[in-house]
Amino acid sequence: MAALPLRALTLRQLQFFSVLVEEGQFGRAARRLAITQPALSNAIKQMEKLLGAELLSRSTHRLELTPVGAEVLARTDFLVNTFEVALRDIESTVQRGRAFVRIGVIPSASARVAAAASEFLKSGGEREVELAWRDAPSNALLAELRSGQIDMAVAAITEPPGGLTCIDLFRDPLVLVVRRDHALVAAGGANWEAIGSERLVLFESGSMPALGNPARAQFAQGAQPYRVSYSETLYALVRSGQALGLMPRLYTSSLRDPELAVVPLLKPRIERRVVLAYLPGPMRNVVAQELIAFLRERLPQAGEATVRRVSGKGARARRQP
């Protein structure tokens, strides 16, 4: 059977296409690639000829991806990133005698994942491993996983992400962070009706919009919540009495503030799924496979994160296993 024309595509052409889209201009992309602009233009035209489709629509001032170009770019970025990471693997193995693995993790789960990864490194015997860490919101981690920039990710999801293998690790419920003199502290817990007309503050990205918004709508809360990016801002608004904090319980494991307390949020109990995600199919290296297997077994056994919790009137903060 005759080879398809696209099999004549080279990795260099794919790299050219990826850099051109990133730079958005032939001149800048050519300078970055250390080639002439006509050479870059010819390479892109050759790609389009081999694929039998236009990848870019060109105008005087800018380049835009065609629908086909957008689909090709996603796969191109995966191949280019995988190739570059594989080269780093080879360099690390040959020059330093160690395997290289990239891990992505949501910040709230970083303590638990780092502790488990440390156990893995100590159990390796003579094996030398270099870990690279990436912390980011779940949607960013899953995108980088799909593009081949990281090998695995511990992320929070509300729905199964397409194209990835996901192993459930544990559930992380939403809780309220309140001032210690708030009435909910004495109650030892809260349901959504108890929040009443009080304003909430929650994270504007990650899993919180998908988790918090439906619950707010169900219980007809009037005031629109404050939306912030960082826990320091959330705690400041709670401390000043302007809002009640709504956040996943994992975030509160490091909360050590005598003015604030964590109150379980009940009826209904709303949780996010924390998963270990990776691309299906062969791993880049054996060590990445071993680490995934280790985390898959170890993280669910770690127990729920320690949090500050209160129960009963005047109760003191205690650590919840």
Side-chain angles (χ1 to χ4, degrees):
M1 183 171 62
L4 293 173
L6 61 84
R7 293 191 180 277
L9 280 173
T10 66
L11 179 63
R12 186 168 176 80
Q13 288 172 324
L14 297 175
Q15 290 172 321
F16 286 178
F17 177 54
S18 181
V19 170
L20 175 58
V21 174
E22 186 175 334
E23 294 293 341
Q25 187 185 78
F26 275 94
R28 288 198 299 266
R31 287 192 293 272
R32 177 175 161 185
L33 292 165
I35 61 173
T36 65
Q37 189 168 327
L40 176 58
S41 180
N42 287 335
I44 300 302
K45 289 179 181 177
Q46 183 64 21
M47 275 190 68
E48 291 177 324
K49 181 178 179 181
L50 291 170
L51 292 167
E54 188 179 50
L55 301 175
L56 298 162
S57 59
R58 300 158 175 83
S59 67
T60 305
H61 301 291
R62 64 180 180 177
L63 297 171
E64 289 187 356
L65 285 167
T66 65
V68 172
E71 292 293 332
V72 172
L73 178 65
R75 290 152 180 81
T76 294
D77 284 345
F78 173 77
L79 289 171
V80 171
N81 288 328
T82 301
F83 177 74
E84 291 176 352
V85 172
L87 287 181
R88 289 199 296 272
D89 280 348
I90 294 171
E91 178 185 29
S92 182
T93 301
V94 173
Q95 296 185 1
R96 290 176 282 180
R98 61 182 64 176
F100 183 75
V101 180
R102 289 184 60 90
I103 306 174
V105 61
I106 50 175
S108 58
S110 58
R112 190 183 299 192
V113 177
S118 180
E119 290 182 33
F120 174 79
L121 294 174
K122 292 175 183 177
S123 67
E126 299 298 321
R127 177 188 57 203
E128 291 289 335
V129 182
E130 180 177 352
L131 301 181
W133 293 88
R134 164 72 167 142
D135 60 334
S138 295
N139 54 353
L141 293 177
L142 297 178
E144 292 177 16
L145 188 58
R146 290 189 182 95
S147 67
Q149 295 173 266
I150 55 179
D151 297 305
M152 65 197 75
V154 175
I157 65 171
T158 53
E159 296 181 357
L164 298 174
T165 298
C166 289
I167 305 299
D168 277 287
L169 298 175
F170 51 86
R171 300 297 178 103
D172 187 22
L174 298 188
V175 296
L176 288 175
V177 179
V178 304
R179 284 172 54 104
R180 191 162 292 280
D181 58 3
H182 196 282
L184 290 176
V185 174
N191 54 35
W192 283 89
E193 288 91 343
I195 298 173
S197 60
E198 294 201 56
R199 175 166 285 183
L200 296 173
V201 55
L202 50 87
F203 295 128
E204 63 183 353
S205 61
S207 56
M208 282 307 302
L211 291 172
N213 290 343
R216 287 186 58 257
Q218 181 180 353
F219 293 100
Q221 284 193 293
Q224 285 296 315
Y226 295 120
R227 301 180 187 277
V228 299
S229 298
Y230 300 99
S231 56
E232 291 87 348
T233 308
L234 185 149
Y235 294 147
L237 291 173
V238 175
R239 198 179 296 113
S240 67
Q242 298 183 56
L244 306 182
L246 178 66
M247 63 196 313
R249 188 167 66 182
L250 272 179
Y251 275 95
T252 67
S253 61
S254 59
L255 179 59
R256 302 289 184 270
D257 190 322
E259 296 183 54
L260 302 179
V262 177
V263 177
L265 186 56
L266 312 170
K267 296 181 181 179
R269 177 183 169 100
I270 299 176
E271 301 172 318
R272 61 178 185 166
R273 293 169 56 194
V274 179
V275 301
L276 174 62
Y278 53 92
L279 282 168
M283 285 279 110
R284 289 188 302 104
N285 59 58
V286 173
V287 175
Q289 295 176 356
E290 294 175 350
L291 180 55
I292 285 176
F294 185 89
L295 294 178
R296 179 176 180 172
E297 295 298 321
R298 178 66 185 87
L299 289 176
Q301 298 172 6
E304 295 185 339
T306 57
V307 297
R308 293 170 65 87
R309 186 176 176 182
V310 296
S311 61
K313 185 174 181 179
R316 301 177 64 183
R318 61 186 178 88
R319 296 175 70 85
Q320 177 71 16

